[in-house]
Amino acid sequence: MKLSSPLLLFLAVGLSSAFVLSSPLPWPKLILTHSWPSSFCSIEHCESNISHWTLHGLWPSKGAFCNSSWHFNSSEIQDLLPDLKISWPDLENPFSTEFWKYEWHKHGTCAAKAVSLNSQHKYFSKALELYHKVDLNGILKKFNIIPSENYYTFAEIEKVIDTFYGFTSKIQCYHQSKNAEFQTLGQIEICFNPDFNLMDCEKQETLSKGAWYNPVAVDKTSGLSVCDQNTPVYYPPPL
């Protein structure tokens, strides 16, 4: 049977589209990163009375500063600014857009490899959407993990988060010194696949020979690393 030219063209287009759709992204995971303002500001010497977990960023698991020519333009996210100022504030410079600019240049331009995130508006709006859906603030409060002068065990915090979401999170702390009697809860990462379904995070930052190192353990903060399972955890009240 001889195929007509229109049918051949249709098949060619279909195969081409299938190839594009099946082309893998350069990153397999998105990391929704939450910051506890009291902990951050105790290290970075800023002032904040914010009493909720804030967004630190939406980070592809591979890549950084993927397109230096794609400049941040706050006019593209004007409708998101009221939510950004509350959910994703710049804790050091509350009236500045520099933090969002930094996050876009470092992480957003890499996330934009996905069609679903290929504009500034898509990137920031999706991060906000995931932040509200995850509702880390509400979950911790629901299970009575609240800021306190008393210490928690790491297992108490980890069990609440991982049991509720059904996937492994990455919980990070500030460590005052090697033999300190406590560690300070600072950052919690919740991970998604490229289709925005929850998936396990890596518990440790690893670096193998020839492998790309994921620099998300410390991003515009200092001293954060995965919490030690045997050291009490301090979840500081708002400053």
Side-chain angles (χ1 to χ4, degrees), residues 55-67:
L55 257 175
H56 190 169
L58 181 63
W59 303 339
S61 56
K62 290 188 177 181
F65 301 107
C66 293
N67 188 344

Side-chain angles (χ1 to χ4, degrees), residues 152-155 175 180-183 226-233:
Y152 292 93
T153 65
F154 175 74
H175 304 267
E181 68 176 39
F182 68 90
Q183 56 192 332
V226 174
C227 300
D228 180 78
Q229 295 189 6
N230 301 312
T231 303
V233 179

Side-chain angles (χ1 to χ4, degrees), residues 8 17 39 74 83 86 88 92 94 111 127 131 133 137-140 148 150-151 159-161 164 167 170 192 200 227:
L8 284 171
S17 298
S39 300
S74 62
D83 194 1
I86 295 172
W88 197 343
E92 295 179 279
Y131 169 80
K133 283 185 175 180
N137 292 288
I139 298 310
L140 291 175
S148 172
N150 298 316
Y151 300 153
K159 182 179 179 181
V160 164
I161 296 171
F164 182 84
F167 292 90
K170 183 188 287 184
F192 297 83
D200 289 334
C227 300

Side-chain angles (χ1 to χ4, degrees), residues 25 27-33 57-62 107-108 110-114 116-117 122-123 126-127 130 189-202 214 216:
L25 289 166
W27 42 263
K29 182 184 304 180
L30 285 167
I31 303 165
L32 187 73
T33 308
L58 181 63
W59 303 339
S61 56
K62 290 188 177 181
H107 302 292
C110 301
K113 301 289 185 181
S116 55
L117 299 169
K122 286 182 181 180
Y123 171 71
K126 178 57 72 174
L130 295 175
E189 298 177 359
I190 307 292
C191 296
F192 297 83
N193 66 24
D195 294 321
F196 308 113
N197 295 314
L198 286 166
M199 66 179 294
D200 289 334
C201 295
E202 299 293 331
N214 180 357
V216 299

Side-chain angles (χ1 to χ4, degrees), residues 35-47 56 90-93 174 218-224 239:
S35 179
W36 182 241
S38 296
S39 300
F40 177 90
C41 283
S42 68
I43 300 296
E44 299 298 325
H45 309 294
C46 52
E47 295 183 9
H56 190 169
D90 185 334
L91 298 174
E92 295 179 279
N93 300 291
Y174 295 98
V218 179
D219 188 293
K220 214 186 175 191
T221 61
S222 58
L224 272 173
L239 299 174

Side-chain angles (χ1 to χ4, degrees), residues 66-114:
C66 293
N67 188 344
S68 60
S69 65
W70 198 344
H71 301 299
F72 176 75
N73 183 352
S74 62
S75 67
E76 295 186 21
I77 55 171
Q78 280 295 317
D79 60 313
L80 304 177
L81 291 181
D83 194 1
L84 285 168
K85 290 176 181 178
I86 295 172
S87 303
W88 197 343
D90 185 334
L91 298 174
E92 295 179 279
N93 300 291
F95 301 104
S96 170
T97 62
E98 285 299 307
F99 184 37
W100 304 324
K101 177 181 177 181
Y102 175 84
E103 290 294 308
W104 167 252
H105 285 159
K106 184 170 185 179
H107 302 292
T109 55
C110 301
K113 301 289 185 181

